[in-house]
Amino acid sequence: MKNTFGNVVTVTLFGESHGPAIGAVVDGLPGGIRIDEKYIAARLTQRRPSGRISTARREPDSYEILSGVFNGYTTGTPLCIIIRNEDIRSKDYEDISRLARPSHADLTAMYRYGGFEDYRGGGHFSGRITAALVAAGAMVMKALEDKGIYIGTHIKSCGGITDREIADETDLRVLAETDFPVLDAEAASEMERIILDAAKDGDSVGGVLETVVLGMPEGVGEPWFDTAEGMLAHAIFSVPAVKGVEFGAGFGITRMRGSQANDCLRTDGKKIYTETNNSGGINGGITNGMPIVFRTAIKPTPSIFKEQRTVDIKKGENALLRLKGRHDPAVVHRAGVVINAVTALTLADLLAARYGADWLKTGENK
Amino acid sequence: MKNTFGNVVTVTLFGESHGPAIGAVVDGLPGGIRIDEKYIAARLTQRRPSGRISTARREPDSYEILSGVFNGYTTGTPLCIIIRNEDIRSKDYEDISRLARPSHADLTAMYRYGGFEDYRGGGHFSGRITAALVAAGAMVMKALEDKGIYIGTHIKSCGGITDREIADETDLRVLAETDFPVLDAEAASEMERIILDAAKDGDSVGGVLETVVLGMPEGVGEPWFDTAEGMLAHAIFSVPAVKGVEFGAGFGITRMRGSQANDCLRTDGKKIYTETNNSGGINGGITNGMPIVFRTAIKPTPSIFKEQRTVDIKKGENALLRLKGRHDPAVVHRAGVVINAVTALTLADLLAARYGADWLKTGENK
Amino acid sequence: MKNTFGNVVTVTLFGESHGPAIGAVVDGLPGGIRIDEKYIAARLTQRRPSGRISTARREPDSYEILSGVFNGYTTGTPLCIIIRNEDIRSKDYEDISRLARPSHADLTAMYRYGGFEDYRGGGHFSGRITAALVAAGAMVMKALEDKGIYIGTHIKSCGGITDREIADETDLRVLAETDFPVLDAEAASEMERIILDAAKDGDSVGGVLETVVLGMPEGVGEPWFDTAEGMLAHAIFSVPAVKGVEFGAGFGITRMRGSQANDCLRTDGKKIYTETNNSGGINGGITNGMPIVFRTAIKPTPSIFKEQRTVDIKKGENALLRLKGRHDPAVVHRAGVVINAVTALTLADLLAARYGADWLKTGENK
Amino acid sequence: MKNTFGNVVTVTLFGESHGPAIGAVVDGLPGGIRIDEKYIAARLTQRRPSGRISTARREPDSYEILSGVFNGYTTGTPLCIIIRNEDIRSKDYEDISRLARPSHADLTAMYRYGGFEDYRGGGHFSGRITAALVAAGAMVMKALEDKGIYIGTHIKSCGGITDREIADETDLRVLAETDFPVLDAEAASEMERIILDAAKDGDSVGGVLETVVLGMPEGVGEPWFDTAEGMLAHAIFSVPAVKGVEFGAGFGITRMRGSQANDCLRTDGKKIYTETNNSGGINGGITNGMPIVFRTAIKPTPSIFKEQRTVDIKKGENALLRLKGRHDPAVVHRAGVVINAVTALTLADLLAARYGADWLKTGENK
């Protein structure tokens, strides 16, 4: 429903880039999920612009939990977490405020909200809002890890450079510690060079993210509409800059024959597994116990410093736009942690829908 | 929520392949949408297996509207439409009933429903259920057409063969009349040949569908979660065999720089449009008035006649499976009409959420 | 959401009084609930007009389950149950069709649906639709009984005559067998006399229903909005003719002091109980393990044979109305089984939300 | 869904009595609702304990809008409003913390959340949370007033004393200005005396609230489940201490015959109205254009200073409880403003569902 997602474990996002605060309400969690504050802070650090290739905006991103946590555990009642906006320089945006930035939401926001939208810095459409999503997702992601479910994302390709495959849980741990999530060191430095080259040109690049979930229980998802793929895709398309989502072999499967595409089944007497995983861990909308694998297309950051043709949406006239201010030449390396967050929230929702919210509990009843 | 989709205009699917009937309930429509019975029948005919390259199952697909229509118009109360299952040959499935078909939902259905699922012919997971979806979608699609919104889908590629672009509304009309939705006649016959070749080998093929929506009003969709892309993708991943969805330039956009990817804006004084449409008609989750364009990856039909390794899920033992019965060597040509149906239902929901359900009304108040 | 109720176990109603069929879709049930066809038929018989004091319309109410049941158990996929309308005499209604019946929905239906509503016999607003609700509720009510949760309703008062209290489960069993749910035989015959007296005058009477739920587990419901009371009241106000709902001591509690109203707590070392039950089994929106008790105000049937002032809503002129056709002088005795049905559906939803849908399962996994 | 209410305009509540803050997220509002800060503050003042008959807890209740408002108007994106908890004296509660207070939610909270609940001062169950509800409701209530829809509530009866009827909009304005909402001055002072008498005895009293809505458009609500009565009752039963809700003639209608109970219809050629309003402005779940009238049973405050039998829920032993701290001898006079708030939120949701959210807009598009 609108700015809320989920059936059982729900997340509601609020906030504008240049308003007092951004935040999220997570509802439907059971009492008894341990809250690991360092883990949340680490995820926020990963999302935060840093290093050579990110925007100069510096937000400490210190969050505050307003409700729903008591003595270090979730209470089971709605959890509100907020992050104050501090480093706000609205002036940067003022002179261009009514020149719609191409491939941004400036124009569509005006269509949708009739001119009442907070247009400063993209308002509610800003990538800034994803900090709240990451904070909310981190709490749930930690609970899933405590249950043996691990989520990780790497840059599969960027500027023609390809990373190696995610092999196992160790790789996921490595990705959880880095702010440029690429496993192959050489590929990583190549990609960074490509991003910096674009930055020098006042331009930007995109890339493909690949997410792997290990340890996901089988039997989760619904046959129609609330399929595991449909729920994940629904959430993922909220992440700014996403233009495509594919599961398992994805678009590549359209070039296979059925005999290549089908995942043959085997059992070792205890567990049933598939020989290949072209299905990406999901059949008929329901998890099959194999790793969930999907890829996400991240477009080049639309904020570039080259001159662009656009329209002054206040005056209704053609105009030229040359952006100033701080902008990333790429967000693909920062988007992974956001994808992880929405994946965690979606899987927690699906698990709670299947097994009841108490399944997510990590502490003992008192 | 589960087997229901939509916030304002909702559709609920029910039925099993070999049960008494399949059907759909559509709720949230206003009173006063004209019901065009011939239009519904034509859509069902397009979905129905036919010709040389489709399964031998013959269903007349004669539907019955049980409620919600009076004197040729919707009443505004829930509309239930059912299609009886008639040509049922359950025996075909009996001897293989507990050998899970690879890349089908047989195994996951058992995980999800604990063995109580109706496994005959795929039960509730069967592509057969899409007939109900097509019937429900057809009613809504006609209402959108009466409002100037046209939806059409062609096979963009199949077996390495590519169709030409959809140019305009005329092309959409052509696609609405054919049961093999390819615009270029030569490409069409090449694709058919490739499908028949696979059939000869007891194998199957997939393809990429491309959908175009013309005339969609701007300002529809939400910034987070219920984005136009997220809602469409959510619904589309319900369609059996879909493994990927991409909007506008899709995964291809990851290989562009921002300066190529951005859709510059222009106005002719009346309307604002973009010079390119890499965004696929949606920015920040909200429609921008340009055509909505997306592509869907359809996997090769998992039912093939080659021997496959699998597991007997009753006995928990490895086994070999050789399918009998009737199966399509491809569903890509039949899936387009299903994609159109879920697109129509999703757009109607988004429009009703934005402008109120009465916006969809095509008749005059009495 | 509109004509759907519930968060986890949902029910959607469809159908019009004089259309082809009425029905319900129940979704969110687990696979493995045993379906007791005789039990469903018995509930439908209780709702059906019969005996001296009910309308002459005779519907066999033979239902058909179209989906979601296989080999006598729910499959876990959406269950659609329909009842064909057979004994339709639309002519009775035709000449008065545009004279709005006072305290009926004729006028508001026109306001809501702009004249497109099926007005014959009240259309979608007809009490007839409750047959579908009773059928849907019966399946769930039987599952609750198999879990030790018993629901029963009696006429607490009618025409100034009061029934004795429901004492225990035995009383609930008695109420389950009768078509005039009053425990005290003398009170019953007095009430019947009062109803028949009203009928002789072409008039009608109402009454107060009291519902008791025994065996309800504690800890079910939410603190805000989806409180056990709020969910029950929401569903119950759908039942035609209901004008009030009160829990425990209800409106009477407003005349007590806190020291009388409070339910003191005691324990026998195993279980905690309250000495009184003025709370009606619910505190802070959550069940406390005591019986759930609530009362419902049922208004006199608005269809009476006396002349009434009204408006011709077609012509917009004042008019006089004298109803013909078949109408009950009271529905209070038939409404109890409908209240039981919505209570069962609501409690099943709350239980599934709390413990997962599988909690409702009555069969063994296969 | 759980702690969120509404289909189109939704409100989500969060916070605990002794946590950092309480608050609400309102989503689904259009851009362009003027925010009147003085109006919000006035409603919070009415809810706040004050005068001789209320708890000694003094909260300035200064709220902060974190998002969704820009330049004095709603933006159309989620609006988060918070109120910091400042005057917290947790010690008052500590020694009794595990003695469940009779007819409070202490025991059920433990059942529901397994001991992880924040039990201090009632936590998320505290009446304190209603301050957030009042703030959220005030914004919407002002928008409704700007559209000509007025909501007001008075104490209909308390301790056997009855107020006179609400006659018109002037009465609603009087009630909007007072912190003891009774129209008849003599009745007011009698009721105050009764409350103070109970306070002297360490006891408490309840009462019946009556709410009237003037100017509500016709045609709003749904025939089944999301009826206007069902939606209002659902929301109202969230308000702590409510044990019953009745519309129009309510339980009294059960003692009328149909010929007395029916609201005959008349027209003056322009508008259709009813001669009486026993239906309380709603027929078949849909508003008929007459005033909406309902009454709510408010139980005596369960916090009393007399000794009560209870259970130590930590030790599982019988115990005696004598409350200390600050408690109201009645909340009935403060509950009216909360009822108004949930009424405003519910009616705004129903109106937006019927006519689109833009219907609520009070400012001009820019």
Side-chain angles (χ1 to χ4, degrees):
Chain A
M1 165 189 22
K2 292 172 299 280
N3 293 279
T4 296
F5 186 72
N7 289 315
V8 175
V9 174
T10 62
V11 59
T12 303
L13 280 181
F14 58 85
E16 282 80 39
S17 179
H18 290 54
I22 60 169
V25 178
V26 183
D27 193 13
L29 295 176
I33 291 181
R34 192 163 57 83
I35 295 299
D36 183 334
E37 305 255 356
K38 273 162 85 175
Y39 186 95
I40 300 170
R43 296 291 82 71
L44 283 170
T45 299
Q46 279 186 304
R47 194 211 69 91
R48 198 175 307 146
S50 72
R52 293 173 302 164
I53 55 177
S54 285
T55 167
R57 180 170 176 173
R58 292 286 175 265
E59 289 282 358
D61 281 353
S62 52
Y63 63 86
E64 183 187 12
I65 296 176
L66 294 183
S67 66
V69 174
F70 181 50
N71 291 336
Y73 285 88
T74 56
T75 57
T77 53
L79 191 164
C80 182
I81 186 165
I82 65 168
I83 301 173
R84 294 268 167 192
N85 291 321
E86 292 173 16
D87 178 19
I88 301 171
R89 293 191 248 149
S90 296
K91 280 193 311 274
D92 288 355
Y93 295 92
E94 267 168 35
D95 57 332
I96 56 140
S97 65
R98 310 322 274 153
L99 296 188
R101 293 166 297 165
S103 289
H104 266 283
D106 298 339
L107 177 64
T108 53
M110 193 198 66
Y111 284 145
R112 177 71 181 77
Y113 301 111
F116 290 99
E117 66 277 7
D118 180 350
Y119 52 77
R120 298 169 300 163
H124 187 56
F125 293 81
S126 169
R128 168 84 184 135
I129 314 305
T130 61
L133 202 44
V134 166
M139 293 183 288
V140 168
M141 192 163 155
K142 184 68 179 70
L144 294 180
E145 288 187 8
D146 289 352
K147 296 284 177 185
I149 303 168
Y150 294 88
I151 301 166
T153 297
H154 69 138
I155 306 176
K156 181 69 190 166
S157 73
C158 173
I161 309 301
T162 305
D163 192 24
R164 71 163 171 84
E165 297 286 310
I166 292 175
D168 53 21
E169 213 181 290
T170 309
D171 280 351
L172 297 187
R173 287 219 187 87
V174 169
L175 293 173
E177 301 295 319
T178 176
D179 61 358
F180 197 84
V182 175
L183 292 165
D184 182 287
E186 208 169 324
S189 62
E190 273 294 283
M191 289 182 196
E192 289 195 270
R193 188 189 53 76
I194 285 162
I195 294 170
L196 290 171
D197 280 358
K200 263 181 239 153
D201 298 346
D203 216 330
S204 64
V205 298
V208 175
L209 292 174
E210 184 175 59
T211 302
V212 171
V213 183
L214 299 176
M216 183 67 191
E218 69 273 4
V220 172
E222 298 291 330
W224 294 94
F225 302 127
D226 289 359
T227 61
E229 293 115 322
M231 291 292 281
L232 284 165
H234 189 155
I236 288 166
F237 272 114
S238 278
V239 180
V242 171
K243 295 309 286 183
V245 175
E246 59 175 19
F247 289 84
F251 279 88
I253 209 167
T254 66
R255 294 183 295 274
M256 298 178 186
R257 277 190 164 191
S259 53
Q260 300 164 269
N262 282 0
D263 296 318
C264 283
L265 292 157
R266 296 280 86 184
T267 181
D268 56 9
K270 288 178 213 150
K271 213 175 141 45
I272 298 171
Y273 57 92
T274 60
E275 294 181 337
T276 47
N277 191 15
N278 293 322
S279 301
I282 301 163
N283 292 117
I286 296 171
T287 57
N288 64 14
M290 297 295 292
I292 295 179
V293 180
F294 59 86
R295 278 169 303 284
T296 310
I298 305 290
K299 73 176 179 183
T301 326
S303 294
I304 58 174
F305 294 102
K306 289 174 179 288
E307 190 174 75
Q308 298 180 86
R309 288 176 302 289
T310 189
V311 171
D312 183 318
I313 56 179
K314 200 83 182 178
K315 299 186 194 157
E317 290 172 7
N318 286 317
L320 290 175
L321 168 70
R322 190 176 279 277
L323 284 174
K324 288 177 279 184
R326 48 200 177 187
H327 302 289
D328 287 350
V331 291
V332 65
H333 58 296
R334 294 172 56 200
V337 67
V338 186
I339 299 287
N340 290 347
V342 296
T343 301
L345 288 162
T346 306
L347 296 181
D349 179 47
L350 290 169
L351 283 159
R354 178 73 182 89
Y355 297 117
D358 277 358
W359 192 91
L360 299 168
K361 198 178 273 196
T362 55
E364 291 298 309
N365 270 21
K366 293 168 189 175
Chain B
M1 164 189 25
K2 291 173 300 279
N3 293 279
T4 296
F5 185 72
N7 290 315
V8 176
V9 174
T10 62
V11 59
T12 303
L13 280 181
F14 58 84
E16 282 81 39
S17 179
H18 289 54
I22 60 170
V25 178
V26 183
D27 193 12
L29 295 176
I33 292 182
R34 192 164 58 83
I35 295 299
D36 183 334
E37 305 256 357
K38 273 162 87 175
Y39 187 94
I40 300 171
R43 297 291 82 72
L44 284 169
T45 300
Q46 280 187 303
R47 194 209 70 91
R48 199 174 307 147
S50 70
R52 293 174 301 165
I53 56 176
S54 285
T55 166
R57 179 168 176 175
R58 292 286 175 267
E59 289 282 358
D61 280 351
S62 52
Y63 63 87
E64 183 186 13
I65 296 175
L66 294 183
S67 66
V69 174
F70 180 51
N71 290 336
Y73 286 88
T74 57
T75 57
T77 54
L79 192 165
C80 182
I81 186 165
I82 64 169
I83 302 172
R84 294 267 166 193
N85 292 320
E86 292 172 16
D87 177 19
I88 301 171
R89 292 191 248 148
S90 297
K91 280 193 312 273
D92 287 356
Y93 295 92
E94 266 168 36
D95 56 332
I96 56 142
S97 66
R98 309 324 274 151
L99 295 187
R101 293 166 297 165
S103 290
H104 266 283
D106 298 340
L107 177 64
T108 54
M110 194 198 66
Y111 285 146
R112 177 72 180 78
Y113 301 111
F116 290 99
E117 67 278 4
D118 180 351
Y119 52 77
R120 297 168 301 163
H124 188 56
F125 293 81
S126 168
R128 168 86 185 134
I129 313 305
T130 60
L133 201 44
V134 166
M139 292 184 286
V140 168
M141 191 163 156
K142 185 67 179 71
L144 294 180
E145 288 187 8
D146 289 352
K147 297 283 178 187
I149 303 168
Y150 294 88
I151 301 166
T153 297
H154 68 138
I155 306 176
K156 180 69 188 165
S157 73
C158 173
I161 309 301
T162 305
D163 192 23
R164 71 163 172 84
E165 296 286 310
I166 292 175
D168 53 21
E169 213 182 290
T170 309
D171 279 352
L172 298 186
R173 287 220 186 85
V174 170
L175 294 172
E177 301 295 320
T178 174
D179 61 358
F180 196 84
V182 175
L183 293 165
D184 182 288
E186 209 169 321
S189 62
E190 274 294 282
M191 290 182 194
E192 289 194 270
R193 188 189 51 74
I194 286 162
I195 294 169
L196 290 171
D197 280 358
K200 263 180 239 155
D201 297 347
D203 216 329
S204 64
V205 297
V208 175
L209 292 174
E210 184 173 60
T211 303
V212 171
V213 183
L214 299 176
M216 184 66 190
E218 68 275 3
V220 173
E222 299 290 330
W224 294 94
F225 301 128
D226 288 358
T227 63
E229 293 113 323
M231 291 291 283
L232 283 165
H234 189 154
I236 289 166
F237 273 113
S238 278
V239 179
V242 172
K243 295 309 286 183
V245 176
E246 60 175 18
F247 289 84
F251 279 88
I253 210 167
T254 67
R255 294 183 296 273
M256 299 178 186
R257 277 190 163 191
S259 54
Q260 299 165 272
N262 282 359
D263 296 318
C264 283
L265 292 157
R266 295 280 86 182
T267 181
D268 55 10
K270 287 178 215 150
K271 213 175 141 45
I272 297 171
Y273 58 92
T274 60
E275 294 180 337
T276 48
N277 190 16
N278 293 321
S279 300
I282 302 164
N283 293 116
I286 296 171
T287 56
N288 65 14
M290 298 296 291
I292 295 179
V293 180
F294 59 86
R295 278 168 304 283
T296 310
I298 305 289
K299 73 176 181 183
T301 326
S303 294
I304 57 175
F305 294 101
K306 289 174 178 289
E307 190 176 74
Q308 299 180 84
R309 289 176 301 289
T310 190
V311 171
D312 184 317
I313 56 179
K314 200 86 183 176
K315 299 187 195 156
E317 289 171 6
N318 286 317
L320 291 175
L321 168 71
R322 189 176 281 277
L323 284 174
K324 288 177 279 185
R326 48 200 177 188
H327 302 289
D328 287 350
V331 291
V332 64
H333 58 296
R334 294 171 56 201
V337 67
V338 186
I339 299 287
N340 291 347
V342 296
T343 301
L345 287 161
T346 305
L347 296 181
D349 180 47
L350 290 169
L351 283 160
R354 177 74 181 89
Y355 298 117
D358 277 358
W359 192 91
L360 298 169
K361 197 179 277 197
T362 55
E364 291 299 309
N365 270 22
K366 292 168 189 174
Chain C
M1 165 188 23
K2 292 173 298 279
N3 293 279
T4 297
F5 186 72
N7 290 315
V8 176
V9 173
T10 62
V11 59
T12 304
L13 281 182
F14 59 85
E16 281 80 39
S17 179
H18 289 54
I22 60 170
V25 178
V26 183
D27 194 11
L29 295 176
I33 292 182
R34 191 162 58 84
I35 295 299
D36 182 334
E37 305 256 356
K38 272 162 87 175
Y39 186 94
I40 300 171
R43 297 291 81 72
L44 284 169
T45 299
Q46 279 186 304
R47 194 210 68 92
R48 198 175 308 146
S50 71
R52 293 174 302 164
I53 56 175
S54 285
T55 166
R57 180 169 176 174
R58 291 285 174 266
E59 290 282 358
D61 280 352
S62 51
Y63 63 86
E64 183 186 14
I65 295 176
L66 294 183
S67 66
V69 174
F70 181 50
N71 290 336
Y73 285 88
T74 57
T75 58
T77 54
L79 191 164
C80 182
I81 186 165
I82 65 168
I83 302 172
R84 294 268 167 192
N85 291 321
E86 293 173 16
D87 177 19
I88 301 171
R89 290 190 249 150
S90 296
K91 279 191 313 274
D92 288 355
Y93 295 93
E94 266 167 37
D95 56 331
I96 57 140
S97 64
R98 311 322 273 154
L99 295 187
R101 292 167 297 165
S103 290
H104 266 284
D106 298 339
L107 177 64
T108 54
M110 193 198 67
Y111 284 146
R112 177 71 181 79
Y113 300 111
F116 290 99
E117 68 278 5
D118 180 351
Y119 52 77
R120 298 169 300 164
H124 187 56
F125 293 80
S126 169
R128 168 83 184 137
I129 314 306
T130 60
L133 201 45
V134 166
M139 294 183 286
V140 168
M141 191 162 154
K142 186 65 179 74
L144 294 180
E145 288 187 9
D146 289 352
K147 297 284 177 185
I149 303 168
Y150 294 89
I151 302 166
T153 297
H154 68 139
I155 306 176
K156 180 69 188 165
S157 72
C158 173
I161 309 300
T162 305
D163 193 23
R164 71 162 171 85
E165 297 286 310
I166 291 175
D168 53 21
E169 213 182 291
T170 309
D171 279 351
L172 298 186
R173 286 219 188 87
V174 169
L175 294 173
E177 301 295 321
T178 174
D179 61 357
F180 197 83
V182 174
L183 294 165
D184 183 287
E186 207 168 324
S189 62
E190 273 294 283
M191 289 182 195
E192 290 194 89
R193 188 188 53 74
I194 285 161
I195 294 170
L196 290 171
D197 279 358
K200 263 180 239 154
D201 297 347
D203 216 329
S204 63
V205 297
V208 175
L209 292 174
E210 184 173 59
T211 303
V212 171
V213 183
L214 299 177
M216 183 68 190
E218 67 274 4
V220 172
E222 298 291 329
W224 293 95
F225 303 127
D226 288 359
T227 61
E229 292 113 322
M231 291 292 280
L232 284 165
H234 188 155
I236 289 166
F237 273 113
S238 278
V239 179
V242 172
K243 295 308 286 183
V245 175
E246 59 175 18
F247 289 84
F251 278 87
I253 209 168
T254 67
R255 293 183 296 273
M256 299 179 186
R257 277 190 164 191
S259 53
Q260 300 164 270
N262 282 359
D263 295 318
C264 283
L265 291 157
R266 296 281 85 184
T267 182
D268 56 10
K270 288 179 214 151
K271 213 174 141 46
I272 298 171
Y273 57 92
T274 59
E275 294 180 336
T276 47
N277 190 16
N278 293 320
S279 301
I282 302 164
N283 293 118
I286 296 171
T287 56
N288 64 13
M290 297 295 292
I292 296 179
V293 179
F294 59 87
R295 278 170 302 284
T296 310
I298 305 291
K299 73 176 180 184
T301 327
S303 294
I304 58 175
F305 295 102
K306 288 174 178 288
E307 189 175 76
Q308 298 180 85
R309 289 175 301 288
T310 189
V311 171
D312 184 317
I313 56 180
K314 200 83 181 179
K315 300 187 194 156
E317 289 171 8
N318 287 315
L320 291 176
L321 168 70
R322 190 176 280 276
L323 284 174
K324 288 177 278 183
R326 49 199 176 189
H327 303 288
D328 286 351
V331 292
V332 65
H333 59 296
R334 294 171 56 200
V337 67
V338 186
I339 299 287
N340 291 347
V342 297
T343 301
L345 288 161
T346 305
L347 296 180
D349 180 47
L350 290 169
L351 284 159
R354 178 74 183 88
Y355 297 117
D358 278 358
W359 192 90
L360 299 168
K361 198 179 274 196
T362 54
E364 291 298 309
N365 271 20
K366 292 169 188 175
Chain D
M1 164 187 26
K2 290 171 303 274
N3 292 279
T4 296
F5 185 73
N7 290 315
V8 176
V9 174
T10 62
V11 59
T12 304
L13 280 182
F14 58 85
E16 281 82 39
S17 179
H18 289 54
I22 60 170
V25 178
V26 183
D27 193 12
L29 295 176
I33 291 182
R34 192 164 58 83
I35 295 298
D36 182 334
E37 304 256 356
K38 272 161 87 175
Y39 186 95
I40 300 170
R43 297 292 81 72
L44 284 169
T45 299
Q46 280 187 303
R47 193 209 69 91
R48 198 175 307 147
S50 71
R52 293 174 302 164
I53 55 176
S54 285
T55 165
R57 180 168 176 176
R58 292 285 174 266
E59 290 281 0
D61 281 352
S62 51
Y63 63 87
E64 184 186 12
I65 295 175
L66 295 183
S67 66
V69 174
F70 181 49
N71 291 337
Y73 285 89
T74 56
T75 58
T77 53
L79 192 165
C80 182
I81 187 165
I82 65 168
I83 302 172
R84 294 268 166 193
N85 291 321
E86 293 174 14
D87 177 20
I88 301 171
R89 293 191 248 150
S90 296
K91 280 192 310 274
D92 287 355
Y93 296 93
E94 266 168 36
D95 57 331
I96 57 141
S97 65
R98 311 321 275 151
L99 295 188
R101 292 167 297 164
S103 290
H104 266 283
D106 298 339
L107 176 64
T108 54
M110 194 198 66
Y111 285 145
R112 177 71 181 77
Y113 300 112
F116 290 100
E117 66 278 5
D118 180 351
Y119 52 78
R120 298 169 300 164
H124 188 56
F125 293 80
S126 168
R128 168 83 185 136
I129 313 307
T130 60
L133 201 45
V134 166
M139 293 183 286
V140 168
M141 191 162 155
K142 185 67 178 72
L144 294 180
E145 289 188 7
D146 289 352
K147 296 284 179 187
I149 302 168
Y150 295 88
I151 301 166
T153 297
H154 69 137
I155 307 175
K156 182 68 188 166
S157 72
C158 173
I161 309 301
T162 305
D163 192 24
R164 71 162 171 83
E165 296 287 309
I166 292 176
D168 53 22
E169 214 183 287
T170 309
D171 279 351
L172 298 187
R173 287 220 186 85
V174 169
L175 293 172
E177 300 295 320
T178 175
D179 61 358
F180 197 84
V182 175
L183 293 165
D184 182 288
E186 208 169 323
S189 61
E190 273 294 283
M191 290 182 193
E192 290 194 89
R193 188 188 54 73
I194 285 161
I195 295 171
L196 290 170
D197 280 358
K200 264 180 240 156
D201 298 347
D203 215 329
S204 65
V205 298
V208 175
L209 293 173
E210 183 174 60
T211 302
V212 171
V213 184
L214 299 177
M216 183 67 190
E218 68 274 6
V220 172
E222 298 291 330
W224 294 95
F225 302 125
D226 288 359
T227 61
E229 292 113 324
M231 291 292 282
L232 284 165
H234 188 155
I236 289 165
F237 273 114
S238 278
V239 179
V242 171
K243 295 309 287 181
V245 176
E246 59 175 18
F247 289 83
F251 279 87
I253 210 167
T254 66
R255 294 183 294 274
M256 298 179 186
R257 278 190 163 191
S259 54
Q260 298 165 272
N262 282 0
D263 296 318
C264 283
L265 292 157
R266 296 282 85 184
T267 181
D268 56 10
K270 289 177 212 151
K271 213 175 143 44
I272 297 171
Y273 58 92
T274 60
E275 294 180 337
T276 48
N277 190 16
N278 293 320
S279 301
I282 302 164
N283 293 117
I286 296 171
T287 57
N288 64 13
M290 297 296 291
I292 296 179
V293 179
F294 59 86
R295 279 169 303 283
T296 310
I298 306 291
K299 73 175 179 183
T301 327
S303 294
I304 58 174
F305 294 102
K306 288 172 180 288
E307 191 175 73
Q308 298 180 86
R309 289 176 302 287
T310 189
V311 171
D312 184 318
I313 57 179
K314 200 83 183 179
K315 301 187 194 155
E317 289 172 7
N318 286 318
L320 290 176
L321 168 71
R322 190 176 279 276
L323 284 173
K324 286 178 281 183
R326 49 200 177 188
H327 302 289
D328 287 350
V331 292
V332 64
H333 59 296
R334 294 172 56 201
V337 68
V338 186
I339 299 287
N340 290 346
V342 297
T343 301
L345 288 161
T346 305
L347 295 181
D349 179 48
L350 290 169
L351 283 159
R354 178 74 182 88
Y355 297 116
D358 277 0
W359 192 90
L360 298 168
K361 198 179 274 197
T362 55
E364 290 299 308
N365 271 21
K366 292 167 187 175

